[in-house]
């Protein structure tokens, strides 16, 4: 039996291996979505496919990698996992994502030949012949969403399988970028294999296996200790996505019932929308992943992800619903998985209102641009996700302009990168005043980034919570919703949210992200805090008067005491 010190040394060795996987990936990837935004999921797994070490990226990816590896092993058999093999999986119902979120994994064998685990790396590649360049918003079945690889070998016994690579090359609009990113994934997986094998060689296969088991046993113990401290009960909530991309006037209901007992944390999505035509249906692996993200945030937020953390979690779904896609249901626009986490929090807030914040802006607000760059004559494709305001809570204001809770390890694409790699100019970029919901503790404000096209192209508006507002708590006010608009303030202004927009040179696209909901009665907020918000540009003078009952001088930012007292007269103390 391994001693505790050896186990801890091995645990940190595995974490270092996962970090090296990420560094290799970012050094070699072609796509800024990977190396700038960190749109990836990386893991080192034991021989069962359970993660024992990861590197933060897209939070719902790493847990989805477990699901995908296990599906691949069930499909091919464990004996098919040969040394030197590298597998590509993007079949959505197994891989836990859409076709462009390709899961690459490689079995790890000790020098003695024994299978000891897997290295995984998932990224967003730019094109695998889905029906529309960039992103698919209105597919009605899986066959419009690209070419599928059901655990196909890119390398077999260390030998490149040219037939598969040729299929990929001739089924991509951007083969150089797609092939480049897949090669980066392979390099990343090789790093994970090599470093894990070194650990096995140094400490022995049996010791490594014992350490992997101990890591997950400890992860489960931590989760159960935290579960015991949570309030017990059942709470239910729902929220809506703007549409499914096909039925544009239909709000799509995400319904979540959460039950906490002494032994389990049950997340039940069974009452969510059924019969959704468009591509927002979620593969079951990602439904499990987003549920896992919220569970971990409540139980073991300060420790790295390991499979044992999720032993007390049980996720229930209804097959054929928006939260459990089955073939041939379309799954390309995965925003359901990004928005669903806050529905869980909305349910839980009924049972622990002093522990949880109000809703954030509630969306990832991604803008994807593509076209032909006149400077190079080549195709270009760039994207970035924008920050939102977070909700106020019982003890503090919401954070201003940070990445959505579904992507805590991610970044947005810098202005300099976008302007260098595309024919776009960023006219302005900054906080969005008055977007945070008013409250004793204010909701954080969102941001606005304004793009000006200098050549014809496409601007895809991946925004799916713009018709409903971010919810508040304890008497706070709702946040301002998200939105994406083309040519704002002109006669040609039109909505761009959830749309595939063809733009001309000179057209402007404004991406406006939502603010968090407020917590508590706004008239209980300290006038000095309101004046500070006005001075910092988070709250306007008009909003200070209307929403907080505070009169602030627009030049000196001083509080007018008598006028403030009059405004607040008769309001709750």
């Amino acid at each position: 039996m391994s001693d505790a010190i050896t186990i801890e040394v091995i645990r940190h060795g595995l974490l270092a291996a996962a970090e090296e996987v990420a560094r290799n990936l970012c050094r070699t990837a072609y796509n800024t979505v990977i190396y700038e935004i960190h749109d990836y999921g990386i893991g080192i797994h034991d021989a069962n496919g359970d993660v024992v070490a990861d590197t933060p990226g897209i939070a719902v990816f790493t847990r989805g990698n477990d699901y995908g590896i296990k599906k691949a092993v069930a499909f091919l058999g464990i004996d098919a996992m040969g040394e030197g093999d590298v597998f590509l999986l993007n079949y959505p119902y197994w891989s836990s994502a859409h076709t462009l979120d390709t899961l690459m994994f490689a079995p790890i064998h000790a020098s003695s030949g024994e299978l000891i685990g897997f290295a995984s790396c998932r990224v967003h590649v730019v094109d695998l012949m889905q029906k529309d360049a960039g992103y698919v918003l209105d597919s009605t079945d899986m066959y419009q969403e690209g070419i599928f690889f059901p655990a196909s070998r890119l390398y077999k016994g260390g030998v490149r399988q040219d037939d598969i690579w040729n299929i990929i090359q001739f089924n991509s609009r951007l083969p150089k970028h797609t092939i480049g990113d897949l090669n980066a994934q392979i390099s990343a997986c090789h790093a994970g294999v090599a470093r894990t094998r070194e650990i096995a060689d140094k400490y022995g296969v049996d010791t490594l296996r014992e350490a992997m088991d101990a890591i997950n046993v400890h992860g489960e113990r931590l989760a159960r200790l935290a579960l015991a401290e949570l309030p017990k009960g059942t709470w239910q909530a729902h929220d809506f996505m703007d549409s499914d991309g096909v039925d544009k006037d239909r709000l799509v209901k995400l319904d979540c019932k959460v039950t906490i007992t002494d032994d389990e944390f049950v997340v039940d999505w069974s009452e969510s929308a059924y019969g959704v035509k468009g591509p927002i249906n979620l593969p079951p692996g990602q439904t499990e992943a987003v549920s896992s993200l919220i569970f971990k945030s409540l139980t073991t937020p300060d420790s790295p992800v390991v499979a044992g953390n999720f032993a007390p979690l049980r996720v229930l779904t209804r097959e054929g619903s928006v939260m459990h896609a089955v073939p041939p249901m379309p799954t390309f626009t995965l925003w359901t998985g990004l928005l669903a986490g806050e529905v869980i929090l909305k349910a839980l807030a009924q049972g622990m209102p002093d522990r949880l914040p109000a809703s954030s802006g509630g969306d990832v607000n991604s803008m994807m641009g593509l076209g032909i760059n006149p400077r190079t004559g080549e195709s270009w494709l760039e994207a970035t996700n924008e920050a939102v305001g977070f909700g106020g809570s019982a003890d503090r204001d919401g954070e201003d302009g940070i990445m959505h809770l579904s992507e805590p390890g991610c970044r947005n694409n810098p202005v300099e990168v976008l302007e260098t790699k595309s024919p776009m100019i960023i006219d302005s970029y900054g906080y969005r005043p008055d977007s945070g919901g008013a409250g004793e503790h204010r909701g954080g404000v969102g941001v606005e980034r304004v793009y000006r096209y200098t050549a014809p192209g496409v601007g895809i508006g991946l925004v799916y919570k713009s018709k409903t507002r971010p919810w508040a708590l304890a008497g706070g006010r709702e946040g301002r919703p998200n939105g994406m608009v083309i040519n704002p303030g002109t006669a040609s202004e039109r909505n761009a949210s959830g749309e595939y927009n063809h733009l001309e040179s000179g057209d402007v696209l404004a991406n406006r992200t939502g603010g968090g909901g407020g917590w508590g009665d706004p008239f209980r907020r300290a006038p000095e805090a309101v004046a500070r918000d006005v001075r910092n540009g988070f709250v306007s003078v008009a909003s200070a008067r209307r929403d907080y009952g505070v009169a602030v001088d627009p030049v000196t930012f001083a509080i007018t005491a008598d006028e403030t007292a009059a405004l607040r007269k008769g309001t709750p103390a």
Side-chain angles (χ1 to χ4, degrees):
M1 177 66 66
S2 301
D3 62 274
I5 294 175
T6 300
I7 291 171
E8 189 68 359
V9 170
I10 289 174
R11 184 175 76 88
H12 281 274
L14 294 169
L15 287 168
E19 183 63 29
E20 186 172 339
V21 172
R23 299 286 68 78
N24 267 17
L25 175 69
C26 290
R27 280 195 297 265
T28 55
Y30 276 54
N31 181 359
T32 59
V33 169
I34 299 170
Y35 65 78
E36 291 287 354
I37 296 176
H38 292 181
D39 190 331
Y40 55 66
I42 285 165
I44 304 294
H45 310 253
D46 65 17
N48 296 318
D50 289 320
V51 65
V52 293
D54 86 326
T55 297
I58 298 281
V60 296
F61 274 2
T62 303
R63 188 66 182 145
N65 290 4
D66 288 29
Y67 191 94
I69 291 171
K70 291 179 179 182
K71 286 291 187 181
V73 170
F75 178 56
L76 297 176
I78 195 68
D79 293 338
M81 304 291 143
E83 186 170 354
D85 290 355
V86 181
F87 295 88
L88 173 62
L89 172 61
N90 76 332
Y91 184 61
Y93 318 98
W94 295 353
S95 71
S96 313
H98 64 189
T99 50
L100 296 191
D101 286 340
T102 54
L103 171 59
M104 194 91 69
F105 69 93
I108 306 170
H109 294 80
S111 298
S112 58
E114 299 169 83
L115 178 67
I116 52 178
F118 299 89
S120 72
C121 177
R122 183 195 301 270
V123 306
H124 179 89
V125 299
V126 291
D127 198 280
L128 283 171
M129 202 47 78
Q130 66 281 2
K131 78 179 187 69
D132 299 315
Y135 227 83
V136 177
L137 306 183
D138 61 355
S139 51
T140 54
D141 65 49
M142 60 185 279
Y143 303 108
Q144 301 169 21
E145 298 184 343
I147 187 168
F148 301 108
F149 295 94
S152 305
R153 288 180 185 82
L154 295 178
Y155 280 78
K156 180 177 175 63
V159 178
R160 178 184 165 104
Q161 303 299 289
D162 286 337
D163 287 348
I164 299 295
W165 287 96
N166 289 338
I167 290 171
I168 295 170
Q169 180 176 346
F170 284 88
N171 283 275
S172 177
R173 298 175 181 87
L174 294 163
K176 181 175 71 173
H177 291 79
T178 300
I179 296 291
D181 288 338
L182 294 176
N183 276 323
Q185 286 182 270
I186 291 168
S187 172
C189 286
H190 283 166
V193 170
R195 296 298 169 260
T196 308
R197 178 180 290 172
E198 288 173 2
I199 295 171
D201 289 345
K202 182 174 182 178
Y203 295 97
V205 171
D206 290 341
T207 299
L208 175 58
R209 285 175 172 163
E210 288 175 6
M212 287 177 164
D213 289 343
I215 288 167
N216 274 320
V217 167
H218 180 64
E220 178 177 350
R221 186 182 303 119
L222 292 176
R224 292 197 180 280
L225 287 171
L227 178 66
E229 300 299 319
L230 295 179
K232 307 303 185 286
T234 298
W235 307 276
Q236 190 166 0
H238 65 268
D239 210 335
F240 296 94
M241 297 182 65
D242 289 350
S243 79
D244 66 359
V246 174
D247 290 336
K248 293 294 185 69
D249 296 326
R250 176 193 179 185
L251 291 173
V252 179
K253 184 180 182 181
L254 307 182
D255 188 289
C256 180
K257 181 189 296 182
V258 182
T259 299
I260 303 177
T261 70
D262 291 335
D263 302 314
E264 282 191 314
F265 188 103
V266 182
V267 182
D268 186 351
W269 296 101
S270 301
E271 295 183 35
S272 295
Y274 192 84
V276 174
K277 296 178 183 178
I280 66 168
N281 297 292
L282 212 59
Q286 190 163 124
T287 300
E288 289 193 14
V290 70
S291 303
S292 297
L293 169 62
I294 301 303
F295 177 71
K296 183 164 179 62
S297 73
L298 292 169
T299 53
T300 56
D302 299 323
S303 61
V305 170
V306 298
N309 293 152
F310 310 105
L313 173 67
R314 186 156 57 99
V315 180
L316 304 177
T317 58
R318 179 188 181 194
E319 287 193 12
S321 73
V322 70
M323 300 302 289
H324 190 140
V326 294
M329 291 172 64
T331 63
F332 200 97
T333 310
L334 294 174
W335 254 240
T336 311
L338 305 179
L339 275 56
E342 301 216 46
V343 185
I344 304 176
L345 293 176
K346 187 177 183 181
L348 289 171
Q350 299 170 54
M352 47 185 95
D354 293 339
R355 179 168 178 167
L356 297 181
S359 177
S360 79
D363 207 330
V364 174
N365 296 273
S366 182
M367 183 278 186
M368 179 177 288
L370 57 107
I372 302 296
N373 192 335
R375 297 197 300 265
T376 64
E378 296 182 350
S379 297
W380 67 275
L381 186 153
E382 294 295 332
T384 188
N385 302 335
E386 292 297 358
V388 295
F390 269 44
S393 58
D395 60 350
R396 69 189 69 185
D397 293 346
E399 295 290 339
D400 301 298
I402 61 174
M403 299 306 290
H404 187 256
L405 61 87
S406 63
E407 301 188 342
C410 294
R411 312 181 302 193
N412 48 20
N413 222 336
V415 169
E416 296 83 357
V417 171
L418 292 171
E419 292 186 339
T420 299
K421 292 182 172 290
S422 72
M424 296 188 297
I425 297 295
I426 308 304
D427 280 359
S428 62
Y429 189 22
Y431 287 126
R432 189 181 176 202
D434 292 340
S435 56
E440 180 179 359
H441 296 127
R442 172 179 59 80
V445 298
V447 301
E448 180 181 66
R449 180 155 19 185
V450 179
Y451 303 78
R452 183 177 299 275
Y453 276 59
T454 61
V458 169
I460 303 175
L462 292 165
V463 178
Y464 283 86
K465 186 174 173 57
S466 64
K467 296 178 181 178
T468 56
R469 299 174 71 95
W471 45 271
L473 285 175
R477 308 278 178 83
E478 295 176 327
R480 196 171 174 184
N482 308 280
M484 197 176 290
V485 181
I486 295 170
N487 296 327
T490 71
S492 61
E493 177 178 334
R494 65 185 189 275
N495 173 61
S497 301
E499 301 289 343
Y500 197 94
N501 305 286
H502 293 275
L503 304 176
E504 299 299 326
S505 180
D507 280 344
V508 167
L509 188 150
N511 191 1
R512 300 164 174 170
T513 77
W519 193 99
D521 181 1
F523 275 65
R524 293 179 64 90
R525 185 168 179 80
E528 295 78 14
V530 177
R532 183 174 62 248
D533 289 338
V534 174
R535 183 175 65 248
N536 290 332
F538 297 142
V539 173
S540 67
V541 170
S543 174
R545 292 179 60 89
R546 178 185 66 247
D547 299 323
Y548 293 96
V550 178
V552 179
D553 186 282
V555 177
T556 66
F557 305 113
I559 299 167
T560 306
D562 291 344
E563 193 174 358
T564 296
L567 288 169
R568 288 193 163 188
K569 185 178 179 180
T571 61

